[in-house]
Amino acid sequence: QVQLQESGPGLVKPSQTLSLTCTVSGGSITTDYYYWNWIRQPPGKGHQWMGAIQSTGNTYYTPSLKNQTSISRDTSKNQFTLQVSSVTPEDTAVYYCARSLGLNLEGIDYWGQGTQVTVSS
């Protein structure tokens, strides 16, 4: 059974960089052509796919966030990370990591529990 766990600060100040880490257990982030995703859900809104890093190391981003978002990985720790630069209060959301067979919320089979991030001064 694959398990994903998000970690990172719950409060970020405007204009700073938000950094989250997803630690994966029960499966390797480098095998089987899976996508390892970051997804967020702002208050009162639906899930927004932010981007993913494939098992090959290729990265993919939703166009509206491409200039603000970076996804990387540490294969030695079986972790992948999200960085969102120049955050505003509109970046306040529950952030999830997830595994999938496709992009843009398709084929998700495992989710992390989610972590609340609030952007506020």
Side-chain angles (χ1 to χ4, degrees):
Q1 174 112 3
V2 176
Q3 294 184 317
L4 301 95
Q5 178 66 59
E6 305 89 351
S7 60
L11 180 63
V12 182
K13 293 183 178 180
S15 80
Q16 292 187 339
T17 296
L18 179 164
S19 295
L20 296 174
T21 296
C22 183
T23 301
V24 179
S25 59
S28 172
I29 63 172
T30 62
T31 61
D32 296 333
Y33 295 99
Y34 285 109
Y35 296 93
W36 301 91
N37 302 266
W38 285 101
I39 298 158
R40 68 183 181 183
Q41 186 173 24
K45 298 184 179 180
H47 291 99
Q48 178 187 26
W49 180 75
M50 302 181 70
I53 186 164
Q54 196 178 14
S55 56
T56 58
N58 293 333
T59 53
Y60 306 85
Y61 301 98
T62 196
S64 62
L65 296 174
K66 185 175 183 179
N67 292 332
Q68 188 185 10
T69 304
S70 177
I71 298 173
S72 59
R73 66 182 183 177
D74 185 337
T75 57
S76 68
K77 296 180 180 179
N78 215 36
Q79 296 175 333
F80 61 106
T81 62
L82 170 73
Q83 290 193 316
V84 182
S85 62
S86 304
V87 296
T88 71
E90 285 67 40
D91 294 304
T92 294
V94 178
Y95 285 75
Y96 299 90
C97 56
R99 190 184 81 166
S100 72
L101 289 170
L103 297 173
N104 200 20
L105 302 180
E106 292 189 2
I108 294 176
D109 56 359
Y110 291 101
W111 291 79
Q113 66 181 23
T115 187
Q116 173 70 47
V117 177
T118 300
V119 178
S120 175
S121 57

